[in-house]
Structure formats: C-alpha cells, structure tokens
Amino acid sequence: MYKISEFSQLTGLSKETLRYYAEVGLLEPAYIHPDNHYRYYDDGSYFLALMLGKLRALGFTIQEMKEVMEDESFLQLEALLLEKRKKIHDEMQVLQERLADIDAFLESGREEEE
C-alpha cells in the first residue's frame, strides 16, 4: 500500500489530482484509514492511475475518462481514441487554414508597400 504522497510520485499525478479523481469517482483509494483519513493506494490502482494520466495527456475530458473506466473491457477505448484523433486532425486543418490566411494577409501588406 502506498500513501498518497508516495503514489503521487510513482504515478506523476499530483495529490490534488488524486483527490479530485476520487471525488468524481474515477480513482478511489484502496483504503482510507478511519482515524486519520489517510488515503492508501495499491498496485491495482497504479495501472489505473497511469491510464488516467495518459488519457488526460491525450486531451480526454473527465466525462470521457469516466466512460473508459466504466467499461471494464475497454472496448469503447478504441472508438474514443479514433474520435479524439479525428477531432485533433480537424483542429489541425483549421489552424493550417488560419496560418495560410495570416501569411496571405502579411503578403498583401508587403505588396502594398512596394
């Protein structure tokens, strides 16, 4: 069993994030001491915490992360990842169009100066 501070160091998730994930039902401590309310995590929690960290880094919302965690078979994970990939690709297209517009605008300003 790991205290929250040890678990935080192991997983790279802050203590505040771990507390928040417990609050929203994403990652409950394996044990909470009844006297001092210290939170303890186990090895099973470790792999879930790593997955949550990865999902968050990939831009998943808390609700999307909940959907993944509620589906213990993780069958929905591939669909969510493909959806996230498409969304990122679409956002990249929009940003590339903005860059092209900015470049065109800058170029039109240079032509007027000449």
Side-chain angles (χ1 to χ4, degrees):
M1 297 287 262
Y2 307 97
K3 289 182 181 177
I4 193 170
S5 57
E6 298 167 328
F7 197 69
S8 174
Q9 289 179 333
L10 279 173
T11 62
L13 299 174
S14 71
K15 292 186 282 189
E16 293 77 18
T17 297
L18 290 169
R19 286 186 189 104
Y20 178 70
Y21 285 176
E23 183 180 314
V24 297
L26 271 174
L27 181 63
E28 298 287 335
Y31 175 73
I32 299 177
H33 195 283
D35 296 331
N36 59 23
H37 302 288
Y38 283 5
R39 298 162 185 257
Y40 293 92
Y41 295 85
D42 60 11
D43 290 333
S45 302
Y46 175 74
F47 294 106
L48 293 176
L50 291 181
M51 176 178 274
L52 289 172
K54 185 65 170 176
L55 292 175
R56 196 67 181 144
L58 293 173
F60 277 62
T61 65
I62 295 296
Q63 186 57 42
E64 290 169 331
M65 290 164 59
K66 279 184 172 184
E67 289 175 28
V68 170
M69 299 311 281
E70 288 170 1
D71 178 15
E72 292 181 8
S73 67
F74 297 108
L75 292 175
Q76 197 175 16
L77 180 56
E78 182 178 10
L80 287 170
L81 285 169
L82 290 171
E83 182 181 316
K84 186 67 61 180
R85 185 180 190 284
K86 182 183 180 335
K87 183 179 177 184
I88 290 170
H89 185 267
D90 292 347
E91 289 172 0
M92 288 172 53
Q93 288 293 114
V94 168
L95 290 174
Q96 287 175 337
E97 290 171 11
R98 284 185 191 163
L99 276 175
D101 288 346
I102 289 170
D103 290 343
F105 190 69
L106 287 170
E107 191 59 37
S108 70
R110 289 186 188 118
E111 290 173 0
E112 291 176 10
E113 290 177 3
E114 293 174 5

